[in-house]
Amino acid sequence: MKSIVIHGARDLRIEDGPVETPGPGQVQVRMAAGGICGSDLHYYQHGGIGTAIRVREPLVLGHEVSGHVAALGPGVEGLSVGQLVAVSPSRPCGECRYCLEGKPNHCLNMRFYGSAMPFPHIQGAFREVLVAEAAQCVPADGLTPAEAAMAEPLAVCLHATRQAGEMVGRAVLVTGCGPVGILSILCARRAGADLIVATDLSDFTLEMARTAGADATVNMRNGDLSAWEAEKGTFDVLYECSGAAPALAAGIAAMRPGGTVVQLGLGGDMVVPMQALTAKELTLRGSFRFHEEFAAGVSLMRKGLIDVGPFVTHSFGVEDVIEAFETAGDRSRAMKAQIAFS
């Protein structure tokens, strides 16, 4: 069985490993597709995320995956061999204080695929065969493997939309139009948003935003949001997806009083324009991972209510993994790049 393993910055290898057998309550999944996430890119490009999270041992990458059920462990019901499933990378313990409070995304003992946060690291899902808990496997009948593998980033954006609160008829600003920004546009519209404006620094990603349904786009290299700043601002909700301080500041300047800022982008600590936040009585909310939104996202895709297909722009075989990661990091031509395992 081949796995995609990071050893350090720019040191990505294809390695052989043993195939595991599913135990009670587990499912053996033959991988079909895996999306390259921003965190995977950070591990590849920098050997970690910021200064606190570093690769300290070989780490199998990947957490946006789908595949076909190859074998069922004892006691597993509701799934069948050959069935396409989206595999949630989130494995909370179910026993810590936050799990018991109904906040499993904040689990103290979280085992999230492909994460170097703890040590030993939590190995990821970029492997030809994966054994997962049955509860992680959501039937994805009717979807393509590529679409099913988008369930994870879609769940992130559905959770953020829940954090944003009431959406019907609202004016929404999305700053940063990578995959999370694009999926946030889809989620906001599905939740009832009226006006959606998107900003980025790339014409390619802004064209993707228009494809996703944004009413207007602004390239902040040569434009600004001044048209939406009059009379104390326009936007009720800001999805800040870039993790860049200038994007947050520009977004807050265009928010109307009483609005909600949802911070999704992870780019390190940022300077926050606190006086503007205070004067406009804005609410600043973080958004971290997801839980039940994963299955909800699969359901929405299966019903045709959210179409992620146009945003999977590239697919590569395992043998071309270096090219896949280099392409995934190029926002002038790639939105979501995936690995095709089969």
Side-chain angles (χ1 to χ4, degrees), residues 24-106:
Q26 295 183 325
V27 178
Q28 185 188 73
V29 181
R30 185 164 293 278
M31 280 300 108
I36 299 172
C37 177
S39 61
D40 298 317
L41 284 173
H42 276 290
Y43 291 134
Y44 171 66
Q45 295 170 342
H46 310 294
I49 302 173
T51 58
I53 304 173
R54 310 302 300 172
V55 174
R56 292 183 282 165
E57 65 177 350
L59 173 67
V60 178
L61 293 178
H63 57 266
E64 301 178 5
V65 295
S66 70
H68 294 93
V69 174
L72 302 173
V76 175
E77 299 179 352
L79 297 171
S80 59
V81 172
Q83 186 174 29
L84 177 67
V85 293
V87 183
S88 174
S90 180
R91 296 175 292 164
C93 71
E95 298 177 352
C96 73
R97 59 181 293 189
Y98 294 112
C99 285
L100 296 176
E101 288 176 6
K103 301 175 182 176
N105 58 315
H106 293 288

Side-chain angles (χ1 to χ4, degrees), residues 126-166:
F126 279 177
R127 56 183 91 185
E128 290 181 312
V129 180
L130 174 73
V131 169
E133 299 299 319
Q136 294 174 250
C137 300
V138 179
D141 306 82
L143 298 179
T144 66
E147 290 168 337
M150 291 286 278
E152 194 275 347
L154 178 57
V156 168
C157 300
L158 287 170
H159 182 74
T161 301
R162 174 174 282 176
Q163 291 290 86
E166 176 62 48

